[in-house]
């Protein structure tokens, strides 16, 4: 199936900076163990774990404050994956927009 | 309209201010020319972190969400809270796929998800099916924004019978249609700042002030439980509870998961993502967007607050029935002074305009790229495409208005459930195809057809005892009634499940089986016009195609 493909214009590995992961196959899939952390928030779908009224927090049943607290679990998981899988500073081509000093630098706030 | 003049004045002033912003938006960060879909339909593919946060937040958390989720909690209790797990599992699930979608779209100049399918499979037929599915699923969603807007108008006393009752809605939508025509995606992007700012202020004030005023959360939940467990005269059963029952836990989880899988398949979500400048903008947004989810969770609880406050829904004079969607507007009207209620109504009203604009743009993009250019005018120039899309956005909006005119709002909510089931059937061809091209394009067509047909059939069989409807009464299927060609795998079970995931499972199984058969028979498949590196391009890469290039 890959034989008939046009050749990639950009080399998949040649321009790969040190520390950046290898891209495999015609789909250039990248395996990162950290990405498994993105499955953790799915635990929120296990309703028997939290389908109860008590203990209440500030008058709010467990069912509700547990799920509101899970918003932060979701944010934490995505944040950790984001931070851990960032390509090393300078590895990605730097920003093309000379007017915007923040562009292209992964840590910069935009 | 009696006694609501303060509310209406505040509402009208904010609404007019936003309309002026909408018309001015065409000059905001303008490119060289508006005569290209990259500019009109994607705002120049240049939005940074903040704009994307407001735009996508304004796009996904709609006016309909703001009125319907609390209304569901008001009526059914804990089940309505599914909106929270839905929007929590959403971002971790889509974090990686949307990055690949952005990159391949940026590399190849794709404007719609169907464009990607066209490039990935070289199959105009499959792309056409994906485009039509997107348009059909989006239309009732736009109509629901009108339901949200109308619930506010009727609460303010603009609640006449028949056609006249809909007239203010038409005027509001006409103004929206005109500035979307002129400014494209820049209009909702700019207005989203106002909408979300107002929404945050209103909700935060409401969840701090109202519980303190009404005797605390503990009292509110106890009052809600007392009312929900009182048997409903129509069915003789309790209407709900503040926790889930043994039969609707699976429904809660599958509704949350199915809705999360569906959301980024909707064309308007993809439009918001593709308009952003780079991968890093999207990644940061996947971390920051749950702020809206937290807000939505608090907002859902206003359904219980309305019970404790003794709020009654407004009678909709067009249908003569109590309209559950007016519960949050009626709560604000009863508990707050006129000017603050006016701000809250403006927040909901403007909250309807932002997603309605983005949805109509997304549907217009689909029409232009995957139907008009593919089948009607193959040699269309970018300028002709932009003109076609502008007109299509008008047609789509008036189609949504016609929906409201002829259909009971209660029925449009069922259409939203159907819309979710429909759009889920594009998952194998769009989301899975971002990772692998193993599945055959004809297998994808077969899976789509089976998933859609079975999903619609299952929805048809679901009755609603509360209002006596025999068909299309909701999206919760009793597992005991699930029949596969006469075989009942879960006979007798009363556990309920969301139809969308059942239909999706059938779709995926068909795709697997048909692909195996076609590959064994060595049936040829089209060329893949994408290459691996396309899925990783980012802003600033050397050799990246120009925005708004041909």
């Amino acid at each position: 199936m890959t034989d008939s493909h046009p050749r990639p214009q950009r080399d998949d590995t040649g321009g790969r900076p040190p520390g950046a992961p290898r891209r495999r196959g015609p789909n250039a899939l990248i395996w990162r163990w950290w990405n498994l952390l993105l499955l953790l928030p799915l635990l929120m779908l296990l309703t028997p774990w939290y389908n109860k009224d008590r203990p209440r927090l500030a008058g709010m049943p467990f069912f509700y404050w547990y799920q509101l607290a899970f918003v932060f679990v979701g944010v934490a998981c995505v944040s950790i994956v984001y931070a851990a899988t960032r390509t090393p500073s300078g590895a990605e081509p730097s920003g093309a927009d000379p007017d915007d000093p923040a562009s292209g630098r992964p840590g910069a706030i935009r | 309209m009696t006694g609501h003049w303060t509310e209406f004045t505040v509402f009208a002033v904010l609404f007019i201010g936003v309309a002026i912003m909408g018309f001015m938006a065409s000059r905001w960060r303008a490119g060289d020319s508006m005569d290209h879909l990259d500019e009109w339909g994607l705002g120049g593919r240049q939005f940074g972190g903040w704009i994307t946060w407001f735009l996508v937040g304004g796009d996904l958390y709609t006016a309909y969400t703001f009125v319907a989720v609390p209304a569901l909690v008001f009526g059914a209790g804990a089940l309505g809270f599914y909106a929270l797990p839905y929007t929590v599992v959403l971002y971790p699930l889509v974090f990686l796929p949307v990055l690949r979608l952005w990159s391949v779209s940026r590399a190849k100049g794709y404007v719609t998800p169907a464009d990607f399918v066209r490039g990935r499979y070289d199959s105009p037929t499959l792309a056409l099916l994906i485009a039509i599915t997107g348009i059909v699923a989006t239309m009732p969603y736009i109509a629901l924004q009108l339901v949200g807007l109308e619930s506010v108008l009727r609460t303010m006393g603009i609640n006449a019978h028949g056609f006249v009752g809909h007239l203010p809605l038409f005027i509001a939508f006409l103004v929206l249609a005109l500035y979307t025509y002129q400014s494209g995606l820049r209009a909702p992007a700019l207005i989203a700042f106002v909408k979300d700012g107002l929404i945050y202020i209103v909700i935060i004030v409401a969840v701090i002030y109202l519980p303190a005023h009404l005797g605390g959360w503990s009292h509110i939940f106890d009052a809600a439980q007392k009312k929900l467990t009182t048997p409903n005269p129509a069915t003789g059963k309790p209407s709900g509870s503040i926790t889930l029952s043994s039969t609707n836990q699976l429904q809660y989880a599958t509704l949350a998961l199915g809705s999360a899988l569906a959301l980024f398949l909707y064309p308007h979500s993809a439009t918001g993502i593709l308009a952003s400048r780079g991968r890093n903008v999207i990644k940061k947004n996947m971390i920051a967007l749950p702020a809206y989810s937290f807000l939505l969770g608090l907002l859902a609880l206003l359904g219980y607050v309305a019970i404790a406050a003794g709020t009654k829904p407004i009678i909709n004079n067009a249908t003569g029935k109590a309209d559950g969607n007016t519960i949050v507007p009626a709560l604000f009207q009863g508990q707050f002074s006129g000017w603050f209620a006016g701000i809250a109504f403006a927040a909901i009203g403007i909250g309807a305009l932002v997603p309605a604009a983005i949805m109509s743009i997304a549907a217009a993009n689909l029409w232009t790229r995957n139907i008009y250019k593919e089948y009607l005018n193959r040699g269309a120039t970018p300028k002709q495409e932009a003109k076609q899309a502008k007109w299509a956005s008008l047609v789509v909006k008036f189609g949504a208005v016609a929906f409201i005119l002829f259909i009971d709002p209660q029925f449009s909510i069922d259409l939203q459930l159907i819309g979710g089931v429909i759009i889920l059937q594009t998952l194998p061809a769009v989301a899975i195809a971002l990772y692998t091209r193993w599945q055959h394009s004809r297998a994808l067509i077969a899976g789509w057809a089976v998933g859609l047909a079975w999903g619609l059939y299952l929805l048809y069989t679901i009755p609603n005892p509360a209002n006596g409807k025999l068909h299309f009464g909701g999206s919760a299927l009793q597992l005991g009634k699930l029949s596969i060609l006469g075989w009942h795998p879960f006979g007798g079970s009363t556990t309920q499940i969301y139809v969308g995931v059942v239909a999706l499972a059938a779709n995926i199984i068909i795709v697997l089986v048909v692909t195996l058969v076609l590959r064994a028979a060595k049936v040829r498949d089209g060329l893949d016009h994408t290459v691996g590196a396309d899925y990783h391009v980012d802003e600033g890469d050397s050799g990246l195609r120009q925005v708004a290039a041909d």
Side-chain angles (χ1 to χ4, degrees):
Chain A
M1 168 177 135
T2 51
D3 300 346
S4 57
H5 290 184
R7 294 272 104 211
Q9 292 107 17
R10 272 181 297 279
D11 187 357
D12 269 10
T13 49
R16 180 165 59 94
R22 182 175 293 273
R23 295 161 182 179
R24 292 189 187 282
N27 300 305
L29 297 179
I30 300 178
W31 177 260
R32 308 296 284 268
W33 286 102
W34 283 110
N35 289 346
L36 290 180
L37 208 53
L38 295 173
L39 297 175
L40 190 74
L42 289 176
L43 290 177
M44 196 178 179
L45 299 176
L46 297 176
T47 51
W49 284 13
Y50 57 86
N51 187 29
K52 49 192 173 206
D53 189 336
R54 285 169 205 280
R56 287 189 176 190
L57 181 70
M60 205 178 276
F62 186 70
F63 182 81
Y64 299 92
W65 66 259
Y66 175 91
Q67 294 190 76
L68 284 169
F70 232 88
V71 175
F72 298 96
V73 175
V75 170
C77 289
V78 177
S79 303
I80 292 168
V81 172
Y82 169 67
T85 61
R86 239 180 336 182
T87 30
S89 182
E92 283 185 305
S94 58
D97 184 1
D99 299 325
D100 181 4
S103 86
R105 265 187 282 129
I109 294 167
R110 301 187 191 180
Chain B
M1 206 168 90
T2 48
H4 303 309
W5 281 108
T6 318
E7 285 168 14
F8 184 74
T9 308
V10 173
F11 176 85
V13 165
L14 286 167
F15 209 86
I16 292 167
V18 153
I20 294 169
M21 278 177 79
F23 283 110
M24 306 273 277
S26 63
R27 277 181 279 169
W28 179 50
R29 305 173 67 136
D32 295 336
S33 149
M34 275 296 262
D35 294 332
H36 194 291
L37 271 194
D38 273 359
E39 292 295 338
W40 184 84
L42 290 178
R45 299 188 191 248
Q46 58 165 342
F47 292 152
W50 281 105
I51 302 174
T52 303
W53 188 69
F54 280 109
L55 179 70
V56 177
D59 186 14
L60 303 186
Y61 300 84
T62 68
Y64 172 67
T65 321
F66 289 147
V67 298
V69 167
L72 192 59
V73 168
F74 176 85
L79 185 64
F81 210 61
Y82 89 91
L84 187 64
Y86 154 30
T87 54
V88 171
V89 301
L90 170 68
Y91 300 106
L93 273 180
V94 302
F95 181 69
L96 297 172
V98 294
L99 291 172
R100 288 177 73 88
L101 180 66
W102 183 88
S103 285
V104 73
S105 302
R106 185 67 184 78
K108 294 289 183 187
Y110 299 151
V111 181
T112 68
D115 277 350
F116 160 66
V117 172
R118 171 80 170 86
R120 184 67 149 159
Y121 283 99
D122 200 22
S123 166
T125 313
L126 184 59
L128 175 70
L129 294 177
I130 300 299
I132 291 174
T133 313
I135 293 171
V136 169
T138 303
M139 288 288 283
Y141 218 156
I142 301 174
L144 287 176
Q145 305 313 317
L146 289 161
V147 172
L149 182 55
E150 206 176 45
S151 74
V152 169
L153 292 172
R154 291 199 184 274
T155 308
M156 284 191 294
I158 307 170
N159 190 7
H161 303 269
F163 181 79
V164 179
H166 291 296
L167 206 55
L169 195 66
F170 293 169
I171 296 166
F173 233 52
L174 182 69
V175 174
L176 170 73
L178 290 178
Y179 65 66
T180 310
Y181 179 91
Q182 173 166 337
S183 307
L185 194 63
R186 283 180 174 82
L190 200 54
I191 293 171
F193 283 90
V194 180
K195 173 234 163 183
D196 294 340
L198 290 176
I199 288 276
Y200 274 96
I201 292 169
V202 167
I203 306 295
I204 289 167
V205 168
V207 296
I208 291 172
Y209 170 80
L210 288 176
H213 184 65
L214 292 166
W217 281 114
S218 199
H219 170 74
I220 288 169
F221 278 99
D222 290 338
Q225 180 71 340
K226 188 156 173 262
K227 173 163 180 284
L228 287 168
T229 48
T230 308
N232 178 335
T235 57
K237 290 180 194 152
S239 46
S241 163
I242 59 166
T243 52
L244 297 168
S245 70
S246 58
T247 55
N248 66 12
Q249 289 196 39
L250 183 64
Q251 183 197 353
Y252 185 84
T254 50
L255 199 53
L257 180 65
S259 306
L261 291 174
L263 188 57
F264 273 87
L265 295 170
Y266 274 108
H268 63 271
S269 318
T271 300
I273 290 296
L274 297 190
S276 62
R277 185 173 60 201
R279 290 168 71 97
N280 215 35
V281 167
I282 300 171
K283 288 181 190 172
K284 284 182 179 160
N285 264 284
M286 292 291 137
I287 296 169
L289 279 167
Y292 288 92
S293 304
F294 194 81
L295 194 75
L296 180 61
L298 295 176
L299 185 74
L301 295 179
L302 290 185
Y304 291 145
V305 174
I307 294 179
T311 307
K312 295 267 179 290
I314 310 278
I315 306 287
N316 180 334
N317 281 335
T319 61
K321 286 183 280 193
D323 182 357
N325 288 321
T326 58
I327 199 71
V328 161
L331 174 71
F332 278 97
Q333 193 165 57
Q335 298 292 322
F336 288 105
S337 59
W339 66 270
F340 189 77
I343 291 177
F345 294 169
I348 296 173
I350 299 167
L353 301 183
V354 172
I358 303 172
M359 287 167 190
S360 66
I361 289 169
N365 289 347
L366 283 170
W367 160 263
T368 305
R369 297 280 299 192
N370 308 109
I371 300 174
Y372 168 73
K373 192 179 164 89
E374 189 74 60
Y375 292 96
L376 302 177
N377 182 4
R378 292 208 76 127
T381 62
K383 190 174 177 177
Q384 285 174 314
E385 281 186 46
K387 189 157 187 63
Q388 183 72 205
K390 286 178 166 185
W391 281 105
S393 80
L394 292 182
V395 173
V396 166
K397 278 201 207 67
F398 287 101
V401 169
F403 243 99
I404 289 299
L405 196 57
F406 298 115
I407 288 169
D408 179 352
Q410 290 302 318
F411 186 62
S412 66
I413 288 156
D414 298 334
L415 284 173
Q416 154 67 2
L417 299 172
I418 298 169
V421 175
I422 290 174
I423 200 72
L424 259 182
Q425 306 313 318
T426 64
L427 185 124
V430 178
I432 298 177
L434 285 168
Y435 285 90
T436 171
R437 201 174 168 274
W438 175 80
Q439 62 278 39
H440 198 285
S441 59
R442 291 185 202 171
L444 288 168
I445 294 173
W448 172 88
V450 170
L452 206 57
W454 203 39
L456 290 177
Y457 168 74
L458 289 173
L459 288 169
Y460 174 80
T461 62
I462 295 171
N464 184 349
N467 60 14
K469 273 169 66 175
L470 293 174
H471 302 296
F472 294 112
S475 63
L477 177 76
Q478 272 194 21
L479 274 180
K481 292 188 180 154
L482 182 68
S483 153
I484 303 168
L485 303 174
W487 172 53
H488 291 73
F490 307 99
S493 170
T494 54
T495 300
Q496 294 182 319
I497 190 166
Y498 174 51
V499 166
V501 296
V502 178
L504 179 62
N507 182 340
I508 290 173
I509 290 169
I510 296 289
V511 170
L512 288 173
V513 172
V514 177
T515 298
L516 286 173
V517 171
L518 292 175
R519 295 257 180 261
K522 298 211 172 3
V523 177
R524 286 181 58 94
D525 205 355
L527 282 181
D528 184 354
H529 294 283
T530 68
V531 296
D534 291 337
Y535 295 89
H536 294 281
V537 305
D538 202 354
E539 54 178 318
D541 280 2
S542 56
L544 198 59
R545 65 178 276 131
Q546 291 283 311
V547 169
D550 290 351

